[in-house]
Amino acid sequence: QMMESVKYKKEISQNSKLQTPHSTLQTKGVEELNDEQIFEYLSNVIRNEELFLNPNFGRQMLIDRFHLTDRRVGAAFAHGGSHNSLPDFIRDLRLEYACQLFTDHPDMSISEVAESSGFSNLTVFGRDFKRKYEVTPTYFRSQMISKK
């Protein structure tokens, strides 16, 4: 974890997308926002900037970028949205993105889709995909190809 943290700190200093913007979280004050409001804001940023596509994206990036505590981030995703946790939210965004890639680019390999969707492990991608959609990525892709 320490090595991941060091790697992340390097990335954040190199990637202007991850620099802290002036946001409603900072101007309004985190103390004034409830879990649902924090979740709504963070989920919009994660989606709009496609932060979930970074395989190293996680709680620490949100803590650093928005100056939130670990507890506030956890509570926002546990109580503010329909997911149980930030990792569940990120996984679902990645899987939705993978489905879109399969639909838009049926020529992409399974491993290319997994990597492009933010998964760093093909086995985890396959397991999570099957758990959510009840079919393997290979079967899903073959269905997309046969529809074209």
Side-chain angles (χ1 to χ4, degrees):
Q1 285 178 332
M2 289 183 80
M3 292 305 290
E4 287 179 9
S5 179
V6 169
K7 184 177 177 184
Y8 162 70
K9 298 269 184 202
K10 275 185 177 178
E11 285 179 10
I12 199 168
S13 66
Q14 295 170 352
N15 187 346
S16 62
K17 248 187 182 180
L18 297 177
Q19 298 303 315
T20 305
H22 292 290
S23 69
T24 56
L25 285 181
Q26 293 156 339
T27 56
K28 187 172 180 182
V30 177
E31 310 79 36
E32 299 174 33
L33 300 176
N34 63 33
D35 292 340
E36 292 81 14
Q37 291 169 317
I38 293 175
F39 170 78
E40 187 67 31
Y41 183 80
L42 294 177
S43 66
N44 284 334
V45 170
I46 292 167
R47 286 175 204 263
N48 293 336
E49 296 183 19
E50 296 182 331
L51 298 176
F52 61 92
L53 297 179
N54 178 343
N56 297 316
F57 177 73
R59 184 181 304 240
Q60 191 60 49
M61 287 186 177
L62 294 177
I63 290 168
D64 291 346
R65 179 170 176 175
F66 298 106
H67 306 289
L68 295 168
T69 65
D70 183 58
R71 188 191 70 71
R72 285 306 305 260
V73 172
F77 284 89
H79 305 118
S82 60
H83 294 82
N84 293 327
S85 66
L86 176 61
D88 289 347
F89 178 74
I90 294 168
R91 182 196 62 239
D92 283 353
L93 289 176
R94 288 175 176 165
L95 290 171
E96 289 168 15
Y97 189 83
C99 287
Q100 192 62 50
L101 287 177
F102 282 132
T103 303
D104 295 344
H105 305 283
D107 56 319
M108 287 181 78
S109 71
I110 303 294
S111 60
E112 288 173 323
V113 168
E115 186 178 327
S116 297
S117 301
F119 286 91
S120 57
N121 184 305
L122 188 57
T123 303
V124 171
F125 171 68
R127 182 197 66 214
D128 289 349
F129 194 96
K130 186 165 184 178
R131 187 177 293 152
K132 180 171 175 100
Y133 298 112
E134 298 181 351
V135 296
T136 65
T138 304
Y139 180 81
F140 185 89
R141 185 171 147 249
S142 70
Q143 294 302 303
M144 292 300 107
I145 292 171
S146 68
K147 287 182 181 180
K148 295 208 176 223

